PDB file of all heavy atoms in Angstrom:
ATOM      1  N   GLU A 356      58.912 155.932 111.679  1.00  0.00           N
ATOM      2  CA  GLU A 356      60.044 155.056 111.394  1.00  0.00           C
ATOM      3  C   GLU A 356      60.736 155.439 110.088  1.00  0.00           C
ATOM      4  O   GLU A 356      61.964 155.483 110.021  1.00  0.00           O
ATOM      5  CB  GLU A 356      59.591 153.589 111.351  1.00  0.00           C
ATOM      6  CG  GLU A 356      59.092 153.049 112.691  1.00  0.00           C
ATOM      7  CD  GLU A 356      60.158 153.034 113.783  1.00  0.00           C
ATOM      8  OE1 GLU A 356      61.364 153.012 113.445  1.00  0.00           O
ATOM      9  OE2 GLU A 356      59.788 153.057 114.972  1.00  0.00           O
ATOM     10  N   LEU A 357      59.937 155.713 109.058  1.00  0.00           N
ATOM     11  CA  LEU A 357      60.558 156.027 107.763  1.00  0.00           C
ATOM     12  C   LEU A 357      61.274 157.379 107.805  1.00  0.00           C
ATOM     13  O   LEU A 357      62.367 157.536 107.256  1.00  0.00           O
ATOM     14  CB  LEU A 357      59.514 156.011 106.644  1.00  0.00           C
ATOM     15  CG  LEU A 357      58.843 154.656 106.353  1.00  0.00           C
ATOM     16  CD1 LEU A 357      57.912 154.755 105.159  1.00  0.00           C
ATOM     17  CD2 LEU A 357      59.886 153.562 106.113  1.00  0.00           C
ATOM     18  N   ASN A 360      64.506 156.910 109.683  1.00  0.00           N
ATOM     19  CA  ASN A 360      65.524 156.225 108.872  1.00  0.00           C
ATOM     20  C   ASN A 360      66.167 157.196 107.884  1.00  0.00           C
ATOM     21  O   ASN A 360      67.380 157.149 107.663  1.00  0.00           O
ATOM     22  CB  ASN A 360      64.898 155.054 108.102  1.00  0.00           C
ATOM     23  CG  ASN A 360      64.779 153.806 108.970  1.00  0.00           C
ATOM     24  OD1 ASN A 360      65.349 153.744 110.045  1.00  0.00           O
ATOM     25  ND2 ASN A 360      64.025 152.837 108.490  1.00  0.00           N
ATOM     26  N   ALA A 361      65.346 158.066 107.306  1.00  0.00           N
ATOM     27  CA  ALA A 361      65.885 159.026 106.343  1.00  0.00           C
ATOM     28  C   ALA A 361      66.837 159.998 107.035  1.00  0.00           C
ATOM     29  O   ALA A 361      67.891 160.353 106.503  1.00  0.00           O
ATOM     30  CB  ALA A 361      64.743 159.782 105.666  1.00  0.00           C
ATOM     31  N   ASP A 363      68.556 159.326 109.761  1.00  0.00           N
ATOM     32  CA  ASP A 363      69.759 158.549 110.072  1.00  0.00           C
ATOM     33  C   ASP A 363      70.641 158.362 108.842  1.00  0.00           C
ATOM     34  O   ASP A 363      71.856 158.213 108.956  1.00  0.00           O
ATOM     35  CB  ASP A 363      69.380 157.167 110.629  1.00  0.00           C
ATOM     36  CG  ASP A 363      68.907 157.239 112.083  1.00  0.00           C
ATOM     37  OD1 ASP A 363      69.144 158.286 112.717  1.00  0.00           O
ATOM     38  OD2 ASP A 363      68.307 156.261 112.572  1.00  0.00           O
ATOM     39  N   ALA A 364      70.017 158.358 107.651  1.00  0.00           N
ATOM     40  CA  ALA A 364      70.798 158.184 106.420  1.00  0.00           C
ATOM     41  C   ALA A 364      71.420 159.509 105.971  1.00  0.00           C
ATOM     42  O   ALA A 364      71.906 159.625 104.850  1.00  0.00           O
ATOM     43  CB  ALA A 364      69.911 157.613 105.313  1.00  0.00           C
ATOM     44  N   ASP A 385      64.044 160.260 100.346  1.00  0.00           N
ATOM     45  CA  ASP A 385      65.155 161.047 100.882  1.00  0.00           C
ATOM     46  C   ASP A 385      66.323 161.063  99.910  1.00  0.00           C
ATOM     47  O   ASP A 385      66.377 160.269  98.969  1.00  0.00           O
ATOM     48  CB  ASP A 385      65.585 160.500 102.253  1.00  0.00           C
ATOM     49  CG  ASP A 385      66.252 159.130 102.177  1.00  0.00           C
ATOM     50  OD1 ASP A 385      67.256 158.980 101.441  1.00  0.00           O
ATOM     51  OD2 ASP A 385      65.779 158.198 102.871  1.00  0.00           O
ATOM     52  N   GLY A 387      69.414 160.693 101.069  1.00  0.00           N
ATOM     53  CA  GLY A 387      70.483 160.256 101.972  1.00  0.00           C
ATOM     54  C   GLY A 387      71.422 159.243 101.345  1.00  0.00           C
ATOM     55  O   GLY A 387      71.526 159.143 100.117  1.00  0.00           O
ATOM     56  N   SER A 388      72.066 158.470 102.210  1.00  0.00           N
ATOM     57  CA  SER A 388      73.161 157.593 101.771  1.00  0.00           C
ATOM     58  C   SER A 388      72.750 156.498 100.786  1.00  0.00           C
ATOM     59  O   SER A 388      73.547 156.040  99.987  1.00  0.00           O
ATOM     60  CB  SER A 388      73.781 156.925 103.002  1.00  0.00           C
ATOM     61  OG  SER A 388      72.787 156.115 103.605  1.00  0.00           O
ATOM     62  N   GLY A 389      71.485 156.070 100.829  1.00  0.00           N
ATOM     63  CA  GLY A 389      71.072 154.954  99.990  1.00  0.00           C
ATOM     64  C   GLY A 389      71.672 153.650 100.504  1.00  0.00           C
ATOM     65  O   GLY A 389      72.404 153.628 101.505  1.00  0.00           O
ATOM     66  N   MET A 390      71.337 152.538  99.830  1.00  0.00           N
ATOM     67  CA  MET A 390      71.836 151.234 100.277  1.00  0.00           C
ATOM     68  C   MET A 390      72.416 150.445  99.113  1.00  0.00           C
ATOM     69  O   MET A 390      71.964 150.582  97.977  1.00  0.00           O
ATOM     70  CB  MET A 390      70.696 150.426 100.900  1.00  0.00           C
ATOM     71  CG  MET A 390      70.358 150.830 102.318  1.00  0.00           C
ATOM     72  SD  MET A 390      68.950 149.889 102.945  1.00  0.00           S
ATOM     73  CE  MET A 390      67.614 150.990 102.578  1.00  0.00           C
ATOM     74  N   ASP A 394      72.510 145.328 101.164  1.00  0.00           N
ATOM     75  CA  ASP A 394      71.812 145.982 102.277  1.00  0.00           C
ATOM     76  C   ASP A 394      70.334 146.170 101.965  1.00  0.00           C
ATOM     77  O   ASP A 394      69.477 146.054 102.854  1.00  0.00           O
ATOM     78  CB  ASP A 394      72.444 147.346 102.578  1.00  0.00           C
ATOM     79  CG  ASP A 394      73.759 147.201 103.337  1.00  0.00           C
ATOM     80  OD1 ASP A 394      74.097 146.057 103.702  1.00  0.00           O
ATOM     81  OD2 ASP A 394      74.444 148.223 103.537  1.00  0.00           O
ATOM     82  N   CYS A 398      67.871 144.814 104.736  1.00  0.00           N
ATOM     83  CA  CYS A 398      67.232 145.762 105.670  1.00  0.00           C
ATOM     84  C   CYS A 398      65.857 145.296 106.125  1.00  0.00           C
ATOM     85  O   CYS A 398      65.350 145.751 107.147  1.00  0.00           O
ATOM     86  CB  CYS A 398      67.187 147.173 105.082  1.00  0.00           C
ATOM     87  SG  CYS A 398      65.981 147.395 103.785  1.00  0.00           S
ATOM     88  N   PHE A 399      65.240 144.369 105.384  1.00  0.00           N
ATOM     89  CA  PHE A 399      63.916 143.885 105.772  1.00  0.00           C
ATOM     90  C   PHE A 399      63.983 142.718 106.754  1.00  0.00           C
ATOM     91  O   PHE A 399      62.960 142.199 107.185  1.00  0.00           O
ATOM     92  CB  PHE A 399      63.126 143.451 104.530  1.00  0.00           C
ATOM     93  CG  PHE A 399      62.806 144.595 103.616  1.00  0.00           C
ATOM     94  CD1 PHE A 399      63.489 144.775 102.422  1.00  0.00           C
ATOM     95  CD2 PHE A 399      61.826 145.519 103.963  1.00  0.00           C
ATOM     96  CE1 PHE A 399      63.196 145.836 101.582  1.00  0.00           C
ATOM     97  CE2 PHE A 399      61.521 146.585 103.128  1.00  0.00           C
ATOM     98  CZ  PHE A 399      62.214 146.749 101.933  1.00  0.00           C
ATOM     99  N   GLU A 400      65.175 142.267 107.065  1.00  0.00           N
ATOM    100  CA  GLU A 400      65.312 141.188 108.048  1.00  0.00           C
ATOM    101  C   GLU A 400      65.170 141.765 109.445  1.00  0.00           C
ATOM    102  O   GLU A 400      65.551 142.905 109.705  1.00  0.00           O
ATOM    103  CB  GLU A 400      66.703 140.529 107.922  1.00  0.00           C
ATOM    104  CG  GLU A 400      66.957 139.833 106.603  1.00  0.00           C
ATOM    105  CD  GLU A 400      66.029 138.642 106.380  1.00  0.00           C
ATOM    106  OE1 GLU A 400      65.716 137.955 107.380  1.00  0.00           O
ATOM    107  OE2 GLU A 400      65.614 138.425 105.225  1.00  0.00           O
ATOM    108  N   ALA A 403      68.089 143.504 111.725  1.00  0.00           N
ATOM    109  CA  ALA A 403      69.103 143.918 110.762  1.00  0.00           C
ATOM    110  C   ALA A 403      69.272 145.424 110.879  1.00  0.00           C
ATOM    111  O   ALA A 403      68.352 146.180 110.604  1.00  0.00           O
ATOM    112  CB  ALA A 403      68.653 143.551 109.345  1.00  0.00           C
ATOM    113  N   THR A 404      70.413 145.837 111.359  1.00  0.00           N
ATOM    114  CA  THR A 404      70.654 147.271 111.517  1.00  0.00           C
ATOM    115  C   THR A 404      72.112 147.597 111.229  1.00  0.00           C
ATOM    116  O   THR A 404      73.000 146.772 111.475  1.00  0.00           O
ATOM    117  CB  THR A 404      70.290 147.757 112.946  1.00  0.00           C
ATOM    118  OG1 THR A 404      70.534 149.155 113.024  1.00  0.00           O
ATOM    119  CG2 THR A 404      71.094 147.038 114.022  1.00  0.00           C
ATOM    120  N   SER A 405      72.328 148.796 110.704  1.00  0.00           N
ATOM    121  CA  SER A 405      73.697 149.239 110.493  1.00  0.00           C
ATOM    122  C   SER A 405      74.126 150.160 111.630  1.00  0.00           C
ATOM    123  O   SER A 405      75.214 150.701 111.622  1.00  0.00           O
ATOM    124  CB  SER A 405      73.760 150.000 109.164  1.00  0.00           C
ATOM    125  OG  SER A 405      72.809 151.052 109.190  1.00  0.00           O
ATOM    126  N   LYS A 406      73.230 150.333 112.616  1.00  0.00           N
ATOM    127  CA  LYS A 406      73.470 151.424 113.557  1.00  0.00           C
ATOM    128  C   LYS A 406      74.164 151.031 114.841  1.00  0.00           C
ATOM    129  O   LYS A 406      74.797 151.861 115.486  1.00  0.00           O
ATOM    130  CB  LYS A 406      72.139 152.134 113.837  1.00  0.00           C
ATOM    131  CG  LYS A 406      71.603 152.715 112.521  1.00  0.00           C
ATOM    132  CD  LYS A 406      70.199 153.225 112.566  1.00  0.00           C
ATOM    133  CE  LYS A 406      69.712 153.460 111.139  1.00  0.00           C
ATOM    134  NZ  LYS A 406      68.317 153.847 111.068  1.00  0.00           N
ATOM    135  N   LYS A 419      68.613 157.644 115.402  1.00  0.00           N
ATOM    136  CA  LYS A 419      67.244 157.465 115.890  1.00  0.00           C
ATOM    137  C   LYS A 419      66.957 155.976 116.071  1.00  0.00           C
ATOM    138  O   LYS A 419      66.409 155.541 117.049  1.00  0.00           O
ATOM    139  CB  LYS A 419      66.243 158.016 114.873  1.00  0.00           C
ATOM    140  CG  LYS A 419      66.435 159.462 114.525  1.00  0.00           C
ATOM    141  CD  LYS A 419      65.649 160.287 115.455  1.00  0.00           C
ATOM    142  CE  LYS A 419      66.329 161.553 115.889  1.00  0.00           C
ATOM    143  NZ  LYS A 419      67.678 161.793 115.569  1.00  0.00           N
ATOM    144  N   GLY A 420      67.301 155.191 115.048  1.00  0.00           N
ATOM    145  CA  GLY A 420      67.005 153.770 115.102  1.00  0.00           C
ATOM    146  C   GLY A 420      68.170 153.012 115.705  1.00  0.00           C
ATOM    147  O   GLY A 420      69.267 153.543 115.851  1.00  0.00           O
ATOM    148  N   PHE A 421      67.919 151.787 116.116  1.00  0.00           N
ATOM    149  CA  PHE A 421      68.997 150.896 116.561  1.00  0.00           C
ATOM    150  C   PHE A 421      68.475 149.497 116.749  1.00  0.00           C
ATOM    151  O   PHE A 421      69.234 148.560 116.908  1.00  0.00           O
ATOM    152  CB  PHE A 421      69.634 151.394 117.864  1.00  0.00           C
ATOM    153  CG  PHE A 421      68.667 151.512 119.003  1.00  0.00           C
ATOM    154  CD1 PHE A 421      68.428 150.430 119.842  1.00  0.00           C
ATOM    155  CD2 PHE A 421      67.996 152.698 119.244  1.00  0.00           C
ATOM    156  CE1 PHE A 421      67.522 150.543 120.889  1.00  0.00           C
ATOM    157  CE2 PHE A 421      67.094 152.818 120.293  1.00  0.00           C
ATOM    158  CZ  PHE A 421      66.850 151.745 121.113  1.00  0.00           C
ATOM    159  N   ARG A 422      67.154 149.331 116.698  1.00  0.00           N
ATOM    160  CA  ARG A 422      66.600 148.010 116.976  1.00  0.00           C
ATOM    161  C   ARG A 422      66.582 147.119 115.742  1.00  0.00           C
ATOM    162  O   ARG A 422      66.457 145.908 115.854  1.00  0.00           O
ATOM    163  CB  ARG A 422      65.164 148.140 117.473  1.00  0.00           C
ATOM    164  CG  ARG A 422      65.078 148.800 118.806  1.00  0.00           C
ATOM    165  CD  ARG A 422      63.666 149.281 119.082  1.00  0.00           C
ATOM    166  NE  ARG A 422      63.626 149.936 120.364  1.00  0.00           N
ATOM    167  CZ  ARG A 422      63.228 149.344 121.483  1.00  0.00           C
ATOM    168  NH1 ARG A 422      62.817 148.096 121.454  1.00  0.00           N
ATOM    169  NH2 ARG A 422      63.248 149.985 122.624  1.00  0.00           N
ATOM    170  N   GLY A 423      66.622 147.719 114.579  1.00  0.00           N
ATOM    171  CA  GLY A 423      66.602 146.934 113.349  1.00  0.00           C
ATOM    172  C   GLY A 423      65.332 146.148 113.149  1.00  0.00           C
ATOM    173  O   GLY A 423      65.337 145.083 112.540  1.00  0.00           O
ATOM    174  N   GLU A 424      64.218 146.680 113.659  1.00  0.00           N
ATOM    175  CA  GLU A 424      62.998 145.890 113.474  1.00  0.00           C
ATOM    176  C   GLU A 424      61.892 146.649 112.750  1.00  0.00           C
ATOM    177  O   GLU A 424      60.872 146.061 112.407  1.00  0.00           O
ATOM    178  CB  GLU A 424      62.490 145.343 114.800  1.00  0.00           C
ATOM    179  CG  GLU A 424      62.277 146.389 115.866  1.00  0.00           C
ATOM    180  CD  GLU A 424      61.904 145.774 117.212  1.00  0.00           C
ATOM    181  OE1 GLU A 424      62.046 144.542 117.360  1.00  0.00           O
ATOM    182  OE2 GLU A 424      61.484 146.529 118.081  1.00  0.00           O
ATOM    183  N   ALA A 425      62.108 147.936 112.476  1.00  0.00           N
ATOM    184  CA  ALA A 425      61.018 148.711 111.882  1.00  0.00           C
ATOM    185  C   ALA A 425      60.662 148.204 110.487  1.00  0.00           C
ATOM    186  O   ALA A 425      59.510 147.880 110.217  1.00  0.00           O
ATOM    187  CB  ALA A 425      61.400 150.186 111.826  1.00  0.00           C
ATOM    188  N   LEU A 426      61.646 148.114 109.622  1.00  0.00           N
ATOM    189  CA  LEU A 426      61.337 147.723 108.243  1.00  0.00           C
ATOM    190  C   LEU A 426      60.784 146.301 108.185  1.00  0.00           C
ATOM    191  O   LEU A 426      59.830 146.023 107.453  1.00  0.00           O
ATOM    192  CB  LEU A 426      62.574 147.875 107.354  1.00  0.00           C
ATOM    193  CG  LEU A 426      63.034 149.328 107.158  1.00  0.00           C
ATOM    194  CD1 LEU A 426      64.287 149.385 106.283  1.00  0.00           C
ATOM    195  CD2 LEU A 426      61.924 150.179 106.551  1.00  0.00           C
ATOM    196  N   ALA A 427      61.355 145.402 108.974  1.00  0.00           N
ATOM    197  CA  ALA A 427      60.849 144.031 108.993  1.00  0.00           C
ATOM    198  C   ALA A 427      59.394 144.015 109.438  1.00  0.00           C
ATOM    199  O   ALA A 427      58.558 143.300 108.875  1.00  0.00           O
ATOM    200  CB  ALA A 427      61.698 143.181 109.927  1.00  0.00           C
ATOM    201  N   THR A 439      66.341 152.340  96.031  1.00  0.00           N
ATOM    202  CA  THR A 439      67.476 152.934  96.735  1.00  0.00           C
ATOM    203  C   THR A 439      68.740 152.872  95.888  1.00  0.00           C
ATOM    204  O   THR A 439      68.927 151.944  95.101  1.00  0.00           O
ATOM    205  CB  THR A 439      67.697 152.236  98.108  1.00  0.00           C
ATOM    206  OG1 THR A 439      68.698 152.930  98.833  1.00  0.00           O
ATOM    207  CG2 THR A 439      68.117 150.783  97.949  1.00  0.00           C
ATOM    208  N   GLY A 468      69.810 158.119  96.985  1.00  0.00           N
ATOM    209  CA  GLY A 468      68.877 158.201  98.104  1.00  0.00           C
ATOM    210  C   GLY A 468      67.939 157.010  98.125  1.00  0.00           C
ATOM    211  O   GLY A 468      68.166 156.011  97.448  1.00  0.00           O
ATOM    212  N   THR A 469      66.902 157.157  98.932  1.00  0.00           N
ATOM    213  CA  THR A 469      65.999 156.024  99.136  1.00  0.00           C
ATOM    214  C   THR A 469      64.553 156.491  99.120  1.00  0.00           C
ATOM    215  O   THR A 469      64.245 157.579  99.621  1.00  0.00           O
ATOM    216  CB  THR A 469      66.283 155.366 100.509  1.00  0.00           C
ATOM    217  OG1 THR A 469      67.680 155.054 100.572  1.00  0.00           O
ATOM    218  CG2 THR A 469      65.482 154.096 100.706  1.00  0.00           C
ATOM    219  N   PHE A 471      60.791 154.857 100.216  1.00  0.00           N
ATOM    220  CA  PHE A 471      59.962 153.760 100.708  1.00  0.00           C
ATOM    221  C   PHE A 471      58.508 154.134 100.500  1.00  0.00           C
ATOM    222  O   PHE A 471      58.092 155.231 100.902  1.00  0.00           O
ATOM    223  CB  PHE A 471      60.164 153.561 102.218  1.00  0.00           C
ATOM    224  CG  PHE A 471      61.369 152.744 102.576  1.00  0.00           C
ATOM    225  CD1 PHE A 471      62.533 153.363 103.017  1.00  0.00           C
ATOM    226  CD2 PHE A 471      61.337 151.361 102.493  1.00  0.00           C
ATOM    227  CE1 PHE A 471      63.641 152.613 103.369  1.00  0.00           C
ATOM    228  CE2 PHE A 471      62.448 150.605 102.851  1.00  0.00           C
ATOM    229  CZ  PHE A 471      63.606 151.226 103.278  1.00  0.00           C
ATOM    230  N   LYS A 628      59.921 154.493 122.323  1.00  0.00           N
ATOM    231  CA  LYS A 628      61.066 155.375 122.533  1.00  0.00           C
ATOM    232  C   LYS A 628      60.741 156.851 122.718  1.00  0.00           C
ATOM    233  O   LYS A 628      61.485 157.703 122.299  1.00  0.00           O
ATOM    234  CB  LYS A 628      62.054 155.213 121.376  1.00  0.00           C
ATOM    235  CG  LYS A 628      62.664 153.834 121.284  1.00  0.00           C
ATOM    236  CD  LYS A 628      63.473 153.654 119.999  1.00  0.00           C
ATOM    237  CE  LYS A 628      62.606 153.286 118.846  1.00  0.00           C
ATOM    238  NZ  LYS A 628      63.305 153.115 117.573  1.00  0.00           N
TER     239      LYS A 628
HETATM  240  P1  ADP B1456      67.034 150.597 112.460  1.00  0.00           P
HETATM  241  O1  ADP B1456      66.662 151.961 111.971  1.00  0.00           O
HETATM  242  O2  ADP B1456      66.649 150.382 113.872  1.00  0.00           O
HETATM  243  O3  ADP B1456      68.448 150.238 112.184  1.00  0.00           O
HETATM  244  P2  ADP B1456      65.234 149.715 110.415  1.00  0.00           P
HETATM  245  O4  ADP B1456      64.479 148.440 110.248  1.00  0.00           O
HETATM  246  O5  ADP B1456      64.453 150.950 110.504  1.00  0.00           O
HETATM  247  O6  ADP B1456      66.138 149.527 111.684  1.00  0.00           O
HETATM  248  O7  ADP B1456      66.257 149.829 109.236  1.00  0.00           O
HETATM  249  C1  ADP B1456      67.182 148.799 108.981  1.00  0.00           C
HETATM  250  C2  ADP B1456      68.396 149.322 108.276  1.00  0.00           C
HETATM  251  O8  ADP B1456      68.063 149.718 106.952  1.00  0.00           O
HETATM  252  C3  ADP B1456      68.991 150.567 108.900  1.00  0.00           C
HETATM  253  O9  ADP B1456      69.884 150.247 109.935  1.00  0.00           O
HETATM  254  C4  ADP B1456      69.709 151.196 107.718  1.00  0.00           C
HETATM  255  O10 ADP B1456      70.987 150.646 107.546  1.00  0.00           O
HETATM  256  C5  ADP B1456      68.868 150.762 106.528  1.00  0.00           C
HETATM  257  N1  ADP B1456      67.965 151.853 106.093  1.00  0.00           N
HETATM  258  C6  ADP B1456      66.680 151.990 106.405  1.00  0.00           C
HETATM  259  N2  ADP B1456      66.153 153.092 105.845  1.00  0.00           N
HETATM  260  C7  ADP B1456      67.131 153.679 105.158  1.00  0.00           C
HETATM  261  C8  ADP B1456      67.220 154.869 104.348  1.00  0.00           C
HETATM  262  N3  ADP B1456      66.165 155.682 104.171  1.00  0.00           N
HETATM  263  N4  ADP B1456      68.410 155.153 103.770  1.00  0.00           N
HETATM  264  C9  ADP B1456      69.474 154.330 103.953  1.00  0.00           C
HETATM  265  N5  ADP B1456      69.455 153.225 104.711  1.00  0.00           N
HETATM  266  C10 ADP B1456      68.302 152.873 105.303  1.00  0.00           C
END
Side-chain angles (χ1 to χ4, degrees):
E356 295 297 337
L357 296 184
N360 278 348
D363 284 345
D385 69 56
S388 63
M390 281 177 266
D394 283 355
C398 74
F399 294 105
E400 296 296 324
T404 181
S405 55
K406 299 170 193 175
K419 303 270 141 351
F421 59 89
R422 293 163 181 262
E424 54 186 12
L426 293 179
T439 187
T469 306
F471 278 101
K628 296 171 277 179

